[in-house]
């Protein structure tokens, strides 16, 4: 929020805008209160060479569609010609004219330049071009009584000022108004706080605008006050300057006073022309699906049954509750009587409407964070006081409506605060008697005696509900800088859990095998799961950032295959990747059956490489699984893949990716793959690690080839060989697979290399022969035949 220092000084003597040291101290005080200052900018310095001028004539040029010729009187007795692209000026308007030679704040120098051969003798300026706010929608129109030919700064009474940009967090809704910030500053700096105290009363005869609240959970309070004797005209100069500096374009006295009260008291409001208000009253209800309204920004908007509308007594929508009024409710020059609306809306409801409609306003920003539900009477009188400055005949009528529902937060709330809890949380040594001096000035009224005090919570701080919230206020006004920095002591030593250690071990093993970790996007495009050969049933995101990322992954496989395809497209083949991440298969419950998974992909390699990776992981973690080739998971090679079976529960899969899946992803290499349910793997009790001595004796290799039916999985032959070889077998590797006439139809040959080694001796030919006979017997029992 941008704070104008001269405006802030209305509520306390905080700092002289021309005293840089005092301004710096003020900025430090704001930051120490949790209101971090993002920037401090000096404004109000006028631009030399810019003077006031009166518009004499507007002339369109047939060959210049986007600009017009403007003749002005700058007080020198001659007509000056200026080209201008804005269309908001009229004859007799007083405007700022940058004369030839003027250096503008953006670095541009005004020179005599021509369009269509006709020179422009200066430039008419918008507020932004003069450093008076962000408005660049048109030329700045000065008050009609301003003399011509004088510096615009002197005509407007401009003086140097300071704009402080404060980052107001969501838990400080009161600081979205000047008064809230001033209250905190005054308490912190020990300065007298001077909140506005309106000196007007309600003296007019009763005039009632009936109010009916249909949906009280969305609008808990709605007030309407009638004010007559309104004369629509420009606002006072000082108010227009302040609003301009705050980034708001002055419109007229009624609208400007409404905006001023909102910025000052954090109380959004809306003034309706009573004479055009259908039925002379209000109905507050939820919209019907498809109901439409043209809002003040000129846009036609369609609403749902979750949006709150303000309607007139005839049930015609005239505004979006807490967000923006309707175009037809706008104040006009003919307005003489207004119905001033102030209300309190549900924080959650406003947020939902703003998000769905993308319609944000200064009012909705405040309602989303929470305004004072009991500050309306003071704000109404403040509105009347400020409007009376330009409408001396203004009358505030009695009989105003003030409808409330049970959903309105109570005016009186309190909590008990224990001084020992304060000291325990803050590390201080305060006494309970120190609390009133810190809390009373900011509206937290302390009462009672002893070590437990009752603190009445202010109505403008709806974020404060519990003891800890009050302790936070104590910390802010005691001073965060005085609390010191201490590290809490703990009797529990930090460390990784067993599961975390085992997860790290998985990564270490894979990195040691030369596999790199990848982190693909967990969101997939529609159709990607089908490309990967997986079930298409998945959870779809209702509001994705892009359509290509609208499906939650049910497997890590698609992302890793996309990574391989990307590497191949950049001529990088043979990549070895793994990912540890969560997957989100749908379930019958409200949430997906989320679990952590592990997938390893080895581009350019075959199934045995994947089996080798699995065996390394299995050995390191002390768990195992049976390789079941009778069950091949979807999307994997039909004859080169298997399920990892842990008892009755499948643990994962090992093998190769199916050729059609690789083709769908544009991968030309074979890809070996290991997929594991990591949650299940890490939860299994590991076998105790057993020390095995390292043999100092040489090893011997034995190559054996077996012919067996294709119906017998290789994993069963592998297991039979290990059983038949006995304790001398230290390594077993499949190095060849043959299918052809020499082994017959529906049969294949599997060639294994057995590495044999004893711990206590060198092997003899007899030892190797015994192993050969044992392996041959075990394989024959299985149905395999040793090939010669």
């Amino acid at each position: 929020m941008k704070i104008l220092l001269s405006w802030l000084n209305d509520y306390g003597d905080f700092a002289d805008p021309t005293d840089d040291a005092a301004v710096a101290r003020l900025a430090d005080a704001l930051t120490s209160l949790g209101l971090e200052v993002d920037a401090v900018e000096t404004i109000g310095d006028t631009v030399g060479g810019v003077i006031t001028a009166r518009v004499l004539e507007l002339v369109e040029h047939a060959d210049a569609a986007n600009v017009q010729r403007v003749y002005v009187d700058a007080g020198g007795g001659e007509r000056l010609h200026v080209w201008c692209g804005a269309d908001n000026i009229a004859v007799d308007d007083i405007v700022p004219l940058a004369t030839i030679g003027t250096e503008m704040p953006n670095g541009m120098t005004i020179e005599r330049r021509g369009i269509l051969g006709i020179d422009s003798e200066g430039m008419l300026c918008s507020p932004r071009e003069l450093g008076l706010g962000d408005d660049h929608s048109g030329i700045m129109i000065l008050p009609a009584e301003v003399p011509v030919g004088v510096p615009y700064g002197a005509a407007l009474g401009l003086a140097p000022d300071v704009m402080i940009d404060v980052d107001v967090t969501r838990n400080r809704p009161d600081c979205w108004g000047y008064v809230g910030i001033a209250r905190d500053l005054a308490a912190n700096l020990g300065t007298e706080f001077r909140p506005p105290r309106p000196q007007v009363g309600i003296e007019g005869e009763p005039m009632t605008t009936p109010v009916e609240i249909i949906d009280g959970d969305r609008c808990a309070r709605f007030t309407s006050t009638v004010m007559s004797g309104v004369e629509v005209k420009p606002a006072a100069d000082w108010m227009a300057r302040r609003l301009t500096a705050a980034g708001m374009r002055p419109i007229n006295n009624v609208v400007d006073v409404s905006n001023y009260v909102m910025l000052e008291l954090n109380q959004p409001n809306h003034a309706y022309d009573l004479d055009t208000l259908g039925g002379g009253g209000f109905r507050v209800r939820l919209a019907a699906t498809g109901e439409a309204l043209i809002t003040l920004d000129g846009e036609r908007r369609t609403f749902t049954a979750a949006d709150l509308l303000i309607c007139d007594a005839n049930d015609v929508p005239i505004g979006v509750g807490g967000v923006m009024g309707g175009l037809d409710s706008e104040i006009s020059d003919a307005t003489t009587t207004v119905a001033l609306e102030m209300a309190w809306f549900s924080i959650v409801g406003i947020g939902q409407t703003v998000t769905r409609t993308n319609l944000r306003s200064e009012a909705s920003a405040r309602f989303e964070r929470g305004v004072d539900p009991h500050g309306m009477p003071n704000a109404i009188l403040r509105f009347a006081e400020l409007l009376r400055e330009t409408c001396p005949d203004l009358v505030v009528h009695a009989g105003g409506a003030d409808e409330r529902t049970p959903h309105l937060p109570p005016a009186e709330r309190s909590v008990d605060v224990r001084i020992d809890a304060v000291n325990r949380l803050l590390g201080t040594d305060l006494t309970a008697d120190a609390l009133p001096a810190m809390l009373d000035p900011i509206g937290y009224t302390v009462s009672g005696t002893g070590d437990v005090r009752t603190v009445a919570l202010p109505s403008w701080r709806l974020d404060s509900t519990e003891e800890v919230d009050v302790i936070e206020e104590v910390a802010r006004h005691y001073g965060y800088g005085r609390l010191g920095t201490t590290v809490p002591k703990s009797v529990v030593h930090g460390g990784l859990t067993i599961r975390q250690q085992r997860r790290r071990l998985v990564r270490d093993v894979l990195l040691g095998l030369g596999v790199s970790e990848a982190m693909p996007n967990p969101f997939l495009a529609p159709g990607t799961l089908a490309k990967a050969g997986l079930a298409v049933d998945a959870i779809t995101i209702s509001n994705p950032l892009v359509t290509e990322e609208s499906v939650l992954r049910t497997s890590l496989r698609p992302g890793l295959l996309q990574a391989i395809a990307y590497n191949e497209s950049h001529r990088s083949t043979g990549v070895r990747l793994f990912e540890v991440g969560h997957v989100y298969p749908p379930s019958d419950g409200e949430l997906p059956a989320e679990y952590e998974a592990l997938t390893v992909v080895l581009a350019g390699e075959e199934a045995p490489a994947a089996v080798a990776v699995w065996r390394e992981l299995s050995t390191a973690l002390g768990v195992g699984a049976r390789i079941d080739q009778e069950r091949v998971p979807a999307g994997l090679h039909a004859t080169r893949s298997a399920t990892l079976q842990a008892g009755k529960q499948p643990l994962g899969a090992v093998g190769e990716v199916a050729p059609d899946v690789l083709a769908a992803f544009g991968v030309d290499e074979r890809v070996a793959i290991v997929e594991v349910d990591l949650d299940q793997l890490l939860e299994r009790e590991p076998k105790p690690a057993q020390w095995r001595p390292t043999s100092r004796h040489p090893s011997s290799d034995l190559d054996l080839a077996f012919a067996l039916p294709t119906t017998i999985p290789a994993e069963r032959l592998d297991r039979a060989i290990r059983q038949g070889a006995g304790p001398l077998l230290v390594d077993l590797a499949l190095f060849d697979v043959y299918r052809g006439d020499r082994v017959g139809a529906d049969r294949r040959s599997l060639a294994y290399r057995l590495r044999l080694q004893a711990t206590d001796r060198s092997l003899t030919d007899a030892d190797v022969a015994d192993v050969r006979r044992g392996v041959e017997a075990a394989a024959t029992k299985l149905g395999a035949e040793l090939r010669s």
Side-chain angles (χ1 to χ4, degrees):
M1 180 176 176
K2 293 186 176 181
I3 302 297
L4 193 63
L5 182 53
S6 61
W7 189 347
L8 188 67
N9 281 335
D10 283 357
Y11 317 112
D13 299 323
F14 298 116
D16 183 345
T18 62
D19 186 341
D20 293 342
V23 171
R25 287 193 296 270
L26 180 66
D28 290 342
L30 285 167
T31 299
S32 72
L33 289 169
L35 303 170
E36 184 177 0
V37 173
D38 290 334
V40 177
E41 179 185 4
T42 300
I43 64 172
D45 291 335
T46 58
V47 181
V50 180
I51 61 176
T52 59
R54 184 185 303 278
V55 177
L56 299 177
E57 184 181 2
L58 303 173
V59 179
E60 293 185 0
H61 193 290
D63 297 326
N66 297 323
V67 293
Q68 60 180 328
R69 302 178 65 183
V70 183
Y71 292 91
V72 298
D73 174 13
E78 61 177 319
R79 286 162 55 98
L80 298 179
H81 171 264
V82 179
W83 285 103
C84 181
D87 59 3
N88 68 314
I89 53 178
V91 173
D92 288 334
D93 280 346
I94 305 297
V95 294
L97 170 69
T99 56
I100 301 298
T102 299
E103 292 188 7
M104 303 300 292
N106 62 1
M108 178 180 68
T109 300
I110 304 301
E111 300 175 350
R112 188 185 302 275
R113 295 176 180 175
I115 298 178
L116 300 175
I118 304 173
D119 286 342
S120 181
E121 300 172 287
M123 182 182 78
L124 305 185
C125 303
S126 70
R128 190 172 75 184
E129 290 166 332
L130 297 175
L132 297 176
D134 297 325
D135 186 8
H136 194 55
S137 60
I139 301 303
M140 184 177 185
I141 308 300
L142 304 178
E145 64 273 12
V146 168
V148 298
V150 300
Y152 77 100
L156 293 176
L158 296 180
D161 208 337
V162 173
M163 181 68 75
I164 305 174
D165 192 354
V166 179
D167 182 12
V168 181
T169 55
R170 292 190 71 91
N171 68 324
R172 293 304 310 276
D174 58 310
C175 288
W176 277 75
Y178 273 78
V179 168
I181 291 179
R183 182 187 294 110
D184 253 24
L185 267 180
N188 181 266
L189 300 175
T191 301
E192 178 190 1
F193 175 48
R194 300 189 299 265
R197 294 185 171 87
Q199 301 301 309
V200 300
I202 299 176
E203 63 276 351
E205 61 182 14
M207 290 185 67
T208 301
T209 50
V211 172
E212 182 183 7
I213 302 177
I214 308 299
D215 296 286
D217 59 328
R218 294 288 300 275
C219 176
R221 185 177 185 183
F222 193 100
T223 69
S224 175
T225 305
V226 177
M227 300 183 189
S228 62
V230 174
E231 182 182 355
V232 178
K233 61 175 67 171
D237 291 344
W238 65 268
M239 181 178 292
R241 287 197 298 272
R242 285 185 172 181
L243 292 176
T244 298
M248 290 187 167
R249 182 169 61 92
I251 297 175
N252 58 55
N253 53 347
V254 178
V255 175
D256 292 354
V257 166
S258 174
N259 288 331
Y260 192 93
V261 170
M262 176 180 65
L263 295 176
E264 180 181 62
L265 299 176
N266 191 39
Q267 180 59 67
N269 58 90
H270 192 88
Y272 295 88
D273 187 331
L274 185 60
D275 293 333
T276 62
L277 183 64
F282 298 93
R283 293 186 84 237
V284 185
R285 61 169 176 81
L286 291 174
T289 300
E291 198 165 6
L293 172 69
I294 299 177
T295 48
L296 281 173
D297 58 359
E299 295 289 331
R300 177 183 174 84
R301 303 183 187 274
T302 303
F303 302 97
T304 70
D307 301 317
L308 190 72
L309 296 181
I310 309 299
C311 304
D312 60 22
N314 297 329
D315 207 32
V316 176
I318 56 175
V320 187
V323 182
M324 186 177 289
L327 186 63
D328 293 338
S329 67
E330 203 171 17
I331 295 295
S332 69
D333 292 343
T335 300
T336 58
T337 305
V338 299
L340 179 64
E341 167 249 309
M342 292 188 187
W344 191 86
F345 299 100
S346 162
I347 296 174
V348 174
I350 293 292
Q352 291 172 340
T353 294
V354 166
T355 301
R356 195 194 64 75
T357 62
N358 197 28
L359 176 61
R360 298 183 181 274
S361 65
E362 289 286 345
S364 69
R366 287 162 171 79
F367 279 123
E368 278 186 276
R369 289 155 178 79
V371 302
D372 185 356
H374 301 283
M376 298 171 199
N378 182 63
I380 291 169
L381 296 180
R382 179 62 169 162
F383 181 98
E385 181 179 59
L386 293 172
L387 187 57
R388 187 167 285 178
E389 185 171 337
T390 53
C391 300
D393 297 328
L394 184 75
V395 176
V396 182
H397 291 269
D402 187 355
E403 291 297 317
R404 311 182 187 202
T405 76
H407 298 278
L408 185 71
E412 296 182 359
R413 302 173 298 134
S414 65
V415 296
D416 289 337
V417 177
R418 300 160 295 165
I419 193 61
D420 63 332
V422 174
N423 291 327
R424 175 171 51 82
L425 288 176
L426 303 184
T428 54
D429 191 23
L430 297 172
T431 64
D433 292 335
L435 296 180
M438 287 184 281
L439 296 176
D440 285 357
I442 58 173
Y444 289 76
T445 306
V446 181
S447 60
T449 58
D451 290 341
V452 180
R453 301 293 174 96
T454 299
V455 179
L457 305 176
S459 61
W460 57 82
R461 290 297 302 274
L462 294 179
D463 59 296
S464 289
T465 58
E466 301 177 1
E467 180 186 44
V468 69
D469 298 321
V470 179
I471 295 175
E472 182 182 357
E473 298 304 309
V474 173
R476 289 196 311 110
H477 288 276
Y478 179 78
Y480 290 123
R482 298 173 61 191
L483 295 179
T485 55
T486 58
V487 179
K489 297 180 180 180
S490 173
V491 296
V492 180
H493 294 290
L496 299 176
T497 65
I498 298 299
R499 178 188 176 89
Q500 290 170 332
Q501 293 174 17
R502 287 165 61 78
R503 185 192 286 109
R504 284 197 178 185
L505 179 59
V506 168
R507 283 191 166 94
D508 290 343
V509 168
L510 292 171
L511 292 172
L513 292 173
V515 187
S516 301
E517 184 168 10
M519 299 181 68
N521 194 334
F523 305 112
L524 304 175
T528 304
L529 290 173
K531 281 173 56 179
L534 299 167
V536 297
D537 187 18
I539 295 173
T540 302
I541 302 169
S542 59
N543 57 340
L545 294 178
V546 292
T547 306
E548 291 76 15
E549 299 175 359
S550 61
V551 177
L552 275 177
R553 64 184 179 187
T554 59
S555 167
L556 303 181
R557 189 191 308 169
L560 291 172
L561 290 178
Q562 288 173 335
I564 290 176
Y566 179 84
N567 277 274
E568 272 198 11
S569 69
H570 288 71
R571 304 180 68 180
S572 177
T573 58
V575 296
R576 299 161 62 89
L577 303 173
F578 78 91
E579 180 183 6
V580 174
H582 286 252
V583 294
Y584 310 88
S587 69
D588 296 332
E590 184 177 352
L591 297 176
E594 176 183 355
Y595 66 91
E596 192 171 35
L598 164 68
T599 296
V600 183
V601 290
L602 310 172
E605 301 189 48
E606 300 182 7
V611 174
V613 169
W614 161 247
R615 290 214 164 111
E616 290 292 340
L617 285 172
S618 174
T619 301
L621 294 173
V623 297
R626 181 169 58 86
I627 299 177
D628 184 0
Q629 285 185 271
E630 296 178 358
R631 300 173 59 190
V632 178
L636 300 189
H637 197 295
T639 61
R640 293 175 174 266
S641 303
T643 297
L644 294 173
Q645 197 75 21
K648 296 182 179 180
Q649 186 72 22
L651 181 65
V654 64
E656 291 182 26
V657 179
D660 59 328
V661 171
L662 296 177
F665 280 88
V667 176
D668 296 329
E669 306 171 90
R670 281 187 169 180
V671 176
I673 186 169
V674 180
E675 294 181 315
V676 178
D677 181 338
L678 194 59
D679 277 350
Q680 196 183 145
L681 184 66
L682 296 179
E683 287 171 4
R684 295 182 62 191
E685 188 72 24
K687 296 178 181 178
Q690 294 183 347
W691 176 78
R692 296 180 62 182
T694 301
S695 177
R696 300 174 60 185
H697 300 280
S699 62
S700 297
D701 288 350
L702 175 63
D703 291 349
L704 298 175
F706 295 91
L708 69 164
T710 56
T711 56
I712 300 177
E715 184 267 340
R716 292 181 60 189
L717 178 60
D718 184 294
R719 190 163 62 245
I721 293 173
R722 292 178 186 275
Q723 291 173 349
L728 293 181
L729 181 66
V730 295
D731 188 43
L732 178 66
L734 174 69
F735 67 86
D736 184 60
V737 178
Y738 169 73
R739 290 179 175 84
D741 296 339
R742 285 186 290 175
V743 294
D746 298 327
R747 291 171 65 83
R748 69 194 187 284
S749 172
L750 303 179
Y752 287 89
R753 176 163 292 134
L754 291 73
R755 177 153 294 176
L756 309 177
Q757 189 176 36
T759 60
D760 57 349
R761 68 188 189 282
S762 296
L763 296 179
T764 64
D765 291 343
D767 292 326
V768 175
D770 288 343
V771 169
R772 179 187 176 101
R773 283 191 293 271
V775 169
E776 184 177 2
T780 301
K781 187 176 179 180
L782 178 66
E785 176 186 348
L786 180 64
R787 298 181 65 201
S788 56

